[in-house]
Amino acid sequence: MTKDWSLFKYIRLLVLLFILFIVAVDAWLDRARSTDWNNTLTVVIVPVNPEASEVVNRYIADLNADDLQPIAKFFDREAGKYISIKNSAFKFLVGEELHEQAPELKPNAQWFDAVVWSLRSRYWVYQKRKKYKHLFPDIMLFVNYYDPAEHNRVRHSVGLEKGLYGIVYGFGNSINKKQNHIVIAHELLHTLGASDKYEPSSNQPLFPIGYAERDKQPLYPQSKAELMAGRVPIDAGTSFMPESLNDVVIGPETALEINWLKTL
């Protein structure tokens, strides 16, 4: 019985490693294609109303592609600092509201559980891609909107390079729309290989890579945020979230990660 069980675990591990190898190759091909910047990437925003809020329901009903144009214009503005592209870097579309949520990773999950969650999530996204295939998505962002009257804060969003998708959390009202745009832009670049530029324990931007104005004298206060740092530093230990993408830039380290720069 013990030998049979050990053999079963060994076979299960081999199967898992084979699947991970296929996933890794597929992710590498996706990354190479999505960061050559030869074509406009289509980003489909899929709204989700996880608490069936009436406030959020009205917000989603009015949501359209025009609402997302500030994000596209932001990326075109920042791309122009590094590369020459014939068309826009991204095209944003709004998909039909989704009435289910992505698989969740349990707190304190072990590595095997995390791997299984990753595979389940990718399969879940694969199924959803079929639902939205008429929009021809390159990247899918599932945006969970919450009523700000019921929540002071929302969960941490995540963008995954493997699978070119993100799970985003925001507020379903017009007042927070501009900050939703910042979060969406941040997670979008995660799907293309950009890394965070802040200290996880404090959320403070890392110097110099998380500073938009690293050469400013005096250094503080800063007036803009680096997108992947997400906050404007006032001093070494204090920062705040910018009001809109007008106050955000993409720094050279992030540009290198998404292939807008070849070298620093």
Side-chain angles (χ1 to χ4, degrees):
M1 184 70 174
T2 302
K3 290 183 178 180
D4 290 342
W5 178 244
S6 298
L7 180 61
F8 171 75
K9 289 197 296 183
Y10 179 71
I11 293 174
R12 186 177 69 166
L13 179 60
L14 286 179
V15 171
L16 180 59
L17 290 174
F18 176 74
I19 293 173
L20 290 176
F21 172 76
I22 298 299
V23 168
V25 171
D26 183 60
W28 182 87
L29 292 173
D30 279 344
R31 173 169 170 73
R33 177 185 59 80
S34 59
T35 57
D36 61 18
W37 303 107
N38 291 328
N39 300 290
T40 298
L41 296 176
T42 298
V43 181
V44 175
I45 302 296
V46 179
V48 183
N49 184 0
E51 295 183 339
S53 162
E54 281 300 320
V55 170
V56 173
N57 187 55
R58 291 193 294 271
Y59 179 79
I60 290 177
D62 292 335
L63 191 63
N64 57 62
D66 289 340
D67 295 319
L68 303 170
Q69 281 307 299
I71 312 177
K73 291 179 179 178
F74 162 76
F75 280 118
D76 288 344
R77 182 192 79 204
E78 292 302 301
K81 299 176 181 179
Y82 299 103
I83 60 173
S84 176
I85 53 177
K86 296 180 180 179
N87 302 303
S88 292
F90 300 100
K91 176 175 70 173
F92 288 85
L93 300 176
V94 177
E96 179 185 348
E97 179 182 354
L98 185 66
H99 298 284
E100 63 177 288
Q101 296 182 64
E104 293 187 7
L105 179 63
K106 296 179 181 179
N108 303 317
Q110 300 300 312
W111 73 269
F112 184 81
D113 294 323
V115 170
V116 171
W117 167 82
S118 176
L119 294 174
R120 285 185 60 215
S121 296
R122 290 199 62 179
Y123 181 68
W124 183 86
V125 173
Y126 168 75
Q127 291 179 309
K128 300 303 167 285
R129 282 186 181 275
K130 291 190 291 184
K131 175 181 175 65
Y132 298 96
K133 65 180 181 180
H134 60 289
L135 298 177
F136 302 100
D138 293 299
I139 300 168
M140 299 194 71
L141 297 179
F142 301 88
V143 184
N144 296 265
Y145 290 105
Y146 290 84
D147 182 353
E150 301 293 333
H151 298 271
N152 293 324
R153 58 189 303 175
V154 292
R155 295 177 56 182
H156 188 73
S157 301
V158 59
L160 298 176
E161 183 179 0
K162 296 178 180 178
L164 294 175
Y165 74 97
I167 309 298
V168 181
Y169 298 90
F171 292 110
N173 70 338
S174 58
I175 295 175
N176 293 93
K177 182 181 295 186
K178 292 181 179 179
Q179 290 202 336
N180 287 343
H181 289 168
I182 297 172
V183 177
I184 289 171
H186 179 102
E187 299 306 332
L188 172 56
L189 285 202
H190 271 318
T191 71
L192 298 177
S195 62
D196 285 322
K197 307 294 187 301
Y198 61 84
E199 171 57 49
S201 61
S202 65
N203 288 329
Q204 297 306 308
L206 294 169
F207 183 82
I209 61 174
Y211 279 56
E213 304 163 300
R214 62 186 71 183
D215 297 323
K216 182 183 177 184
Q217 295 296 331
L219 185 60
Y220 303 107
Q222 297 271 299
S223 63
K224 294 183 180 294
E226 204 285 335
L227 178 62
M228 301 312 292
R231 300 179 71 85
V232 181
I234 298 175
D235 55 43
T238 310
S239 62
F240 64 92
M241 189 169 179
E243 292 184 1
S244 75
L245 287 169
N246 291 330
D247 304 315
V248 179
V249 303
I250 292 176
E253 287 81 10
T254 299
L256 180 67
E257 290 171 331
I258 63 173
N259 204 33
W260 282 358
L261 277 178
K262 298 301 181 183
T263 183
L264 292 177

